[in-house]
Amino acid sequence: MPPDTLPCDDAAPAPVWSRDVTLEPGADLWVFGYGSLIWNPGFPFVSQSRAVLYGYHRRFCIASHRYRGTPEHPGLVLGLDVGGCCHGIAFRVAPASVPAVMDYLWEREMFTRAYRPRMLRIRLDGAAGRRVTACTFVVDRQHGQYCGCLDDATMARRIAASVGERGPNVEYLANTVEHLEQLGLRDRRLSVLLAEVRRLTGEGHS
């Protein structure tokens, strides 16, 4: 058979994220941010709104061996653990940007698969409590990086002592607390944790 008559498959391979979530083609996308996505989303969006997710709460429950710590001295980053509720920010992504944004989120959040991507219902502020489905990253409790059993004192010591590729662990905590407060979403537990970390590092004293 001549080479130009050989059968070929021009179909693009399915994106990696399609193995975990199914999105409606041509629809916009909501992404729920509860930690670093609040102050550093890193992707284009057309609008944002304060929002609440029920059934999960924000907690330092994932060991960071790279960005905010090292394998020898792991730091801690936030995850959504089961129980309670979490106030955060919902970002709306335009349909044309959805594939690229999903690619970006998978590269950023799913590097070690410590998170489980889920399409979950959230309630937006305003608009009579409109509910939408958002792409959300919850912690995988079976993953080796999960450490949701740490008490507050242990969390504070680890955050105070850890530094990774993206800087001191305390910067991650401080940025989250600062931006939550700017949005009127004060998380008392994180604020208390930050005060203790600053006491341990000496930042809280003149």
Side-chain angles (χ1 to χ4, degrees):
M1 181 182 292
D4 60 355
T5 62
L6 289 173
C8 63
D9 184 3
D10 293 329
V16 174
W17 48 264
S18 66
R19 304 170 191 169
D20 294 287
V21 298
T22 300
L23 302 180
E24 181 182 348
D28 56 9
L29 170 73
W30 288 93
V31 178
F32 182 70
Y34 56 89
S36 63
L37 285 178
I38 291 177
W39 44 272
N40 181 30
F43 59 83
F45 56 90
V46 295
S47 65
Q48 67 179 51
S49 172
R50 297 193 307 184
V52 59
L53 169 69
Y54 294 100
Y56 296 89
H57 65 284
R58 178 176 29 239
R59 183 176 177 82
F60 277 95
C61 59
I62 299 177
S64 176
H65 300 150
R66 180 181 176 189
Y67 291 143
R68 296 296 175 173
T70 65
E72 296 77 21
H73 300 286
L76 292 170
V77 292
L78 290 165
L80 286 173
D81 212 346
V82 294
C85 67
C86 179
H87 292 267
I89 296 294
F91 301 95
R92 184 168 67 87
V93 178
S97 300
V98 169
V101 168
M102 292 295 284
D103 288 343
Y104 166 78
L105 289 172
W106 250 245
E107 181 178 351
R108 171 174 169 164
E109 305 293 340
M110 299 293 288
F111 181 75
T112 65
R113 297 195 69 88
Y115 296 103
R116 295 164 55 221
R118 291 289 183 268
M119 301 300 292
L120 299 175
R121 298 288 285 177
I122 61 173
R123 180 171 58 80
L124 305 179
D125 268 12
R130 178 188 173 196
R131 293 182 181 272
V132 299
T133 299
C135 182
T136 307
F137 295 90
V138 305
V139 68
D140 180 355
R141 284 189 156 201
Q142 305 305 312
H143 197 278
Q145 288 175 251
Y146 177 69
C147 48
C149 60
L150 300 180
D151 58 39
D152 290 352
T154 302
M155 284 192 282
R157 288 193 297 271
R158 283 184 59 167
I159 293 171
S162 299
V163 179
E165 290 180 7
R166 294 188 178 173
N169 205 169
V170 63
E171 287 184 357
Y172 174 97
L173 169 58
N175 273 328
T176 303
V177 170
E178 176 184 348
H179 285 79
L180 283 172
E181 291 180 347
Q182 289 176 0
L183 294 164
L185 298 173
R186 187 173 186 270
D187 186 314
R188 182 181 178 279
R189 187 172 187 181
L190 290 194
S191 297
V192 171
L193 181 61
L194 177 59
E196 176 60 13
V197 171
R198 285 176 166 166
R199 185 190 70 80
L200 292 172
T201 60
E203 289 185 52
H205 301 283
S206 57

